[in-house]
Amino acid sequence: MPLIIKNNQVIEDSWHLLQADCSLADALAQPQPIIVPFTLWQNHAVELKQLTKLGVWLDSHEAIEEIVEDLPLFSLVALNFPTFTDGRHFSSARLLRERYAYSGEIRAIGDVLRDQLFFMQRCGFDAYAVRADRCPHDALLSLTEFSICYQSAVDCPEPLFRRRVLKSA
Amino acid sequence: MYLYDHYDQQIVNERVAQFRDQTRRYFAGELTEDEFLPLRLQNGLYVQRHAPMLRIAVPYGLLSSTQLRMLAHITRKYDKGYAHVTTRTNMQLNWPKLEQVPDILQDLASVQMHAIQTSGNCIRNTTTDQFAGVARDELVDPRPWCELIRQWSTFHPEFARLPRKFKIAVNGCVNDRAAIEVHDIGLEAVRNSDGELGFRVLVGGGLGRTPMLASVINEFMPWPHLLSYLEAILRVYNRFGRRDNKFKARIKILVKALTPEGFAKKVDEEWQHLKDGPSTLTDAEVQRVSQHFTAPDYQSLSDVPELLAEQDAQHPGFARWRSRNTTAHKQPGYVAVTLSLKKTGVPTGDVSESQLDAIADLADRYSYSEARNTHEQNIVLADVEQTKLLQLWLEIRELGFATPNIGLLSDIICCPGGDFCALANAKSIPVAEAIQQRFADLDYLFDIGDLDLNISGCMNACGHHHVGHIGILGVDKKGEEFYQVSLGGNSGRNASLGSILGPSFAQDTMPDVINKIIDVYIEQRTAEEQFIDTYQRIGAQPFKERVYAPHH
């Protein structure tokens, strides 16, 4: 089984990620649980809802608003990074957690490299499928590179300026 | 100026460790060239023609004498003994070794400095007026707001991989010396009819390949909401800005595509969710930051016009210098002094290690141990006692900072160009120098009066040529360097973009071309007109006719 980082640990991944062009028949033939591409979900929600545990993945141009209604059905939302320089899904993850109160797994997939992880963690990701040619154990180290951050984000909603005041009060 | 507490210091220290490890991994082959690229860029590190270039952040231009001495030390220890003041008020090294950059960062961190986000597709150094806190026309001191934005934007996790670079400027004066209309976001601190402080928000200005002036999207955003509103703007840009084409990826393209009204609506919808959330600024925090920018311990003095007039009469050179290189001060008995880094023969904005040390000493002795980089690439001592002005002038004459040309034609804004920059199509430094040599006569320069001449070596426009009264752009024509001239740009309030005059010129003809343009102005001007006024009145045609007239 491939390894992923989940909740700050390297573990074996039980999920099966389906390709963008996967058909419904192919999907249902795969070992469960599966992460289906958003378009498959759009076209076959009725059939896919039958699965007890389901994940969906969005490409970087696909907006999370499209799945907001269906969020309770997903145990996992995976967000794809076609390249490591694409930051659109940093916003998607924050919206999922902060606006839509999604509490399932948010997983980074695609061109996921060590040096994005700290930012991803702050934005609400809790799982990282580090690119297959890279070592997830190495990547894990990046999650603790900074001990202090200025801004409000998912990992720490109070910005530093509010905590500074508390401390000095 | 802002002093780090242990939190700020720890963030910078952890950054040094992070970048040291990233550099190690790059040399160990664990990071490819492409993977290292955004990491080193967001640390100000370009690979240039000769060596990497390291851009050191100088938040909103402020430097302490301690920091200046460290910069001098760094240029001696790791570089070739000089640094360059950039048009984002940062300091640039042209010859560092990549493997030594972590050590440079460590030295910088020891004086509360860094190179975070000085390049790359992220929020860059926030800039402001070089006379912040001392300008007579100031309504609101922009520096605390710049610092609040600096902290908010430093390693902002959501905006670390934007479609393109992102620049914010803040103005708090009647005049606009911060060029807010040509920034991705321009903020103008204003007070409403109840006297409450807020910000007029402009979005979508910028130079580069597709120059545009910013549009106002909000006339008054009350100060507590500044950061949440910025966050809403950046989120809309991060999500919907184009990423398919580097040249269409700046926010100005998105604003234009959606129309300013459409963009404003999208931002407002986003902001409704963020409003009154945890990023809402508190009075306590604004006060905490503001107390770092209170007035220094001024003595109670009076202005001394008689003394200065007397000194002017004795020293015509002093009079000339004073008329250009000093700026009126809020506080009676004080004056702000601009050290000119535009001496002919020295590349624009370059400053040597001994000069950096000297500026540190001057700052200690004359200006409460502080200095300021300007986006016009000079350095300001903001709080000089008027009675010490003559003494200061005598000293800086020896140091090469007393060229009396601030705001004149030879006070050229100029990028490093093809001599250093890998992006440049053409050299810019030799063109600047040739023009400075042509206009070396001070009487003539003074007669020409206020004139912004800006030179960029390529259309990325680091030399801000679009907003020069005269703008010069280096272009490549079949492997040869040519220069396109535009007229009528202006970076102040009611900013405007220059219009291209016509076909480009060979490098060696540039002083003649500028000469002809100036001749037309001299012939056509009325008594009270500056160059830009004459241009606006008579238009481009007379200049075109002269410059492109057939030879006899």
Side-chain angles (χ1 to χ4, degrees):
Chain A
M1 272 188 189
L3 298 175
I4 58 155
I5 298 175
K6 176 80 199 283
N7 293 331
N8 304 322
Q9 285 183 319
V10 177
I11 59 163
E12 291 193 335
D13 184 18
S14 58
W15 288 85
H16 197 76
L17 179 70
L18 304 186
Q19 295 307 304
D21 56 358
C22 182
S23 70
L24 180 65
D26 284 349
L28 296 175
Q30 296 292 332
Q32 307 291 323
I34 54 173
I35 307 172
V36 301
F38 170 63
T39 43
L40 193 73
W41 169 254
Q42 263 187 316
N43 296 329
H44 298 287
V46 177
E47 297 90 330
L48 291 168
K49 270 183 200 171
Q50 306 306 317
L51 300 174
T52 48
K53 201 174 168 194
L54 181 65
V56 67
W57 69 267
L58 303 187
D59 212 343
S60 62
H61 64 277
E62 290 167 337
I64 38 92
E65 283 82 357
E66 302 266 6
I67 57 164
V68 164
E69 307 275 297
D70 302 326
L71 281 176
L73 302 168
F74 302 125
S75 312
L76 179 156
V77 175
L79 300 172
N80 185 48
F81 290 80
T83 85
F84 60 88
T85 54
D86 190 329
R88 280 176 277 191
H89 277 326
F90 291 0
S91 293
S92 307
R94 278 194 81 177
L95 290 169
L96 276 172
R97 293 287 189 225
E98 292 174 344
R99 187 160 309 163
Y100 304 115
Y102 181 68
S103 58
E105 176 176 328
I106 302 181
R107 175 182 296 197
I109 59 170
D111 206 9
V112 178
L113 301 174
R114 169 175 171 165
D115 296 286
Q116 291 140 284
L117 263 52
F118 188 81
F119 297 127
M120 287 173 168
Q121 161 183 263
R122 296 216 66 211
C123 289
F125 288 89
D126 58 356
Y128 314 90
V130 175
R131 210 171 70 192
D133 60 338
R134 297 306 159 91
C135 172
H137 293 281
D138 276 353
L140 196 56
L141 299 172
S142 69
L143 293 175
T144 49
E145 274 176 337
F146 289 95
S147 57
I148 293 166
C149 298
Y150 285 118
Q151 315 76 5
S152 164
V154 175
D155 62 337
C156 183
E158 293 281 288
L160 180 61
F161 67 78
R162 290 177 183 269
R163 287 174 282 136
R164 262 173 170 150
V165 172
L166 284 178
K167 193 140 193 186
S168 62
Chain B
M1 65 191 284
Y2 186 76
L3 295 177
Y4 285 7
D5 64 10
H6 69 280
Y7 293 114
D8 303 298
Q9 188 65 50
Q10 190 160 339
I11 289 170
V12 169
N13 292 348
E14 288 174 352
R15 170 54 160 186
V16 175
Q18 181 193 42
F19 193 73
R20 192 179 287 286
D21 190 57
Q22 288 171 343
T23 308
R24 178 195 66 74
R25 285 188 280 136
Y26 169 68
F27 281 115
E30 295 170 32
L31 281 168
T32 65
E33 200 74 55
D34 281 353
E35 290 163 8
F36 188 49
L37 179 80
L39 307 179
R40 67 169 165 75
L41 284 179
Q42 298 210 3
N43 202 35
L45 200 55
Y46 284 86
V47 172
Q48 295 290 62
R49 269 180 211 279
H50 308 290
M53 177 209 88
L54 179 65
R55 197 179 282 153
I56 297 163
V58 182
Y60 36 96
L62 283 189
L63 285 163
S64 69
S65 55
T66 310
Q67 292 173 331
L68 282 160
R69 288 195 183 92
M70 178 54 77
L71 289 169
H73 165 77
I74 285 170
T75 66
R76 274 192 294 269
K77 185 169 174 191
Y78 303 100
D79 206 282
K80 293 192 176 179
Y82 68 96
H84 173 80
V85 177
T86 77
T87 52
R88 283 211 81 62
T89 71
N90 290 320
M91 281 284 193
Q92 206 158 285
L93 302 180
N94 283 320
W95 309 92
K97 292 194 178 61
L98 185 51
E99 55 273 31
Q100 290 188 325
V101 169
D103 295 333
I104 298 176
L105 296 182
Q106 194 157 339
D107 285 354
L108 287 170
S110 73
V111 293
Q112 310 193 346
M113 293 184 83
H114 58 77
I116 297 163
Q117 290 167 216
T118 50
S119 167
N121 297 334
C122 52
I123 304 172
R124 305 285 190 87
N125 186 24
T126 298
T127 50
T128 189
D129 188 341
Q130 64 266 37
F131 299 116
V134 306
R136 282 207 179 148
D137 65 340
E138 185 168 277
L139 308 168
V140 176
D141 187 343
R143 295 172 298 173
W145 304 100
C146 290
E147 176 58 27
L148 288 161
I149 294 168
R150 183 192 75 81
Q151 297 191 13
W152 165 78
S153 62
T154 298
F155 300 129
H156 196 301
E158 188 179 344
F159 309 129
R161 298 290 182 270
L162 293 172
R164 200 75 178 84
K165 59 187 169 183
F166 203 92
K167 300 174 179 181
I168 302 175
V170 187
N171 181 38
C173 289
V174 174
N175 292 301
D176 176 14
R177 287 173 291 263
I180 63 169
E181 292 186 50
V182 289
H183 278 78
D184 295 289
I185 295 179
L187 296 170
E188 183 182 0
V190 288
R191 291 193 185 274
N192 67 8
S193 52
D194 296 329
E196 291 159 342
L197 177 66
F199 294 88
R200 188 164 174 260
V201 183
L202 294 81
V203 173
L207 301 175
R209 191 169 291 249
T210 318
M212 282 187 207
L213 297 176
S215 308
V216 177
I217 61 160
N218 198 310
E219 284 291 346
F220 188 83
M221 179 49 63
W223 66 264
H225 305 302
L226 176 65
L227 298 183
S228 59
Y229 195 70
L230 291 177
E231 196 136 318
I233 295 172
L234 265 298
R235 180 171 289 171
V236 169
Y237 172 55
N238 187 45
R239 298 189 72 195
F240 305 111
R242 284 182 64 171
R243 291 174 186 262
D244 58 327
N245 180 343
K246 182 181 172 187
F247 302 121
K248 296 185 190 297
R250 294 285 290 270
I251 196 173
K252 59 195 170 189
I253 306 291
L254 179 65
V255 173
K256 194 176 177 208
L258 295 174
T259 74
E261 298 72 29
F263 182 82
K265 188 161 168 279
K266 239 175 151 55
V267 169
D268 192 63
E269 285 165 9
E270 185 58 46
W271 181 63
Q272 292 306 323
H273 295 282
L274 301 173
K275 188 184 173 191
D276 300 323
S279 294
T280 308
L281 277 166
T282 60
D283 208 25
E285 173 64 357
V286 174
Q287 279 182 24
R288 183 188 75 83
V289 174
S290 296
Q291 75 191 4
H292 291 287
F293 299 99
T294 50
D297 199 8
Y298 291 126
Q299 302 182 57
S300 66
L301 303 172
S302 318
D303 287 339
V304 290
E306 296 84 4
L307 172 70
L308 292 170
E310 204 177 292
Q311 291 170 339
D312 282 353
Q314 281 171 5
H315 307 277
F318 174 70
R320 185 128 72 175
W321 172 80
R322 198 166 75 81
S323 74
R324 295 307 318 187
N325 296 31
T326 66
T327 304
H329 200 289
K330 245 179 205 180
Q331 180 73 14
Y334 287 81
V335 65
V337 170
T338 303
L339 306 179
S340 172
L341 302 185
K342 309 295 176 69
K343 187 181 166 164
T344 304
V346 179
T348 286
D350 275 12
V351 53
S352 72
E353 41 95 12
S354 59
Q355 286 181 320
L356 285 164
D357 275 334
I359 295 168
D361 290 344
L362 293 172
D364 280 342
R365 286 186 289 121
Y366 289 97
S367 194
Y368 298 93
S369 300
E370 281 182 26
R372 302 160 178 218
N373 289 348
T374 80
H375 82 86
E376 292 96 352
Q377 304 175 283
N378 294 304
I379 294 183
V380 164
L381 298 176
D383 297 296
V384 177
E385 286 177 35
Q386 292 173 8
T387 53
K388 293 184 179 167
L389 202 52
L390 179 64
Q391 189 190 328
L392 173 61
W393 174 69
L394 291 168
E395 283 198 52
I396 65 175
R397 264 197 329 177
E398 302 299 316
L399 294 165
F401 298 135
T403 312
N405 63 350
I406 299 306
L408 297 178
L409 187 151
S410 62
D411 183 11
I412 296 172
I413 295 181
C414 180
C415 70
D419 290 300
F420 294 100
C421 179
L423 301 172
N425 292 322
K427 292 188 172 69
S428 48
I429 294 169
V431 177
E433 192 179 333
I435 294 168
Q436 285 173 329
Q437 273 164 6
R438 175 63 63 91
F439 292 89
D441 183 273
L442 278 175
D443 291 328
Y444 187 35
L445 260 189
F446 271 69
D447 181 46
I448 296 165
D450 287 351
L451 198 153
D452 295 344
L453 195 158
N454 299 355
I455 306 178
S456 305
C458 77
M459 60 175 90
N460 290 310
C462 297
H464 300 178
H465 64 278
H466 300 295
V467 289
H469 301 155
I470 300 176
I472 297 176
L473 167 65
V475 293
D476 178 271
K477 283 214 291 204
K478 295 176 186 153
E480 283 195 67
E481 298 182 356
F482 277 74
Y483 296 86
Q484 193 177 67
V485 173
S486 55
L487 298 180
N490 173 26
S491 67
R493 201 167 277 271
N494 303 316
S496 54
L497 301 170
S499 306
I500 296 166
L501 199 56
S504 55
F505 306 95
Q507 184 178 325
D508 57 355
T509 65
M510 283 309 293
D512 287 338
V513 170
I514 302 304
N515 231 150
K516 287 174 188 170
I517 291 168
I518 297 302
D519 286 347
V520 172
Y521 155 63
I522 300 276
E523 291 160 22
Q524 302 264 355
R525 69 179 169 185
T526 62
E528 66 283 358
E529 276 181 348
Q530 299 294 343
F531 177 87
I532 186 71
D533 307 318
T534 304
Y535 172 82
Q536 284 168 353
R537 179 170 56 79
I538 69 176
Q541 198 55 36
F543 296 96
K544 261 186 210 172
E545 285 168 13
R546 180 72 54 92
V547 168
Y548 294 107
H551 293 290
H552 297 293

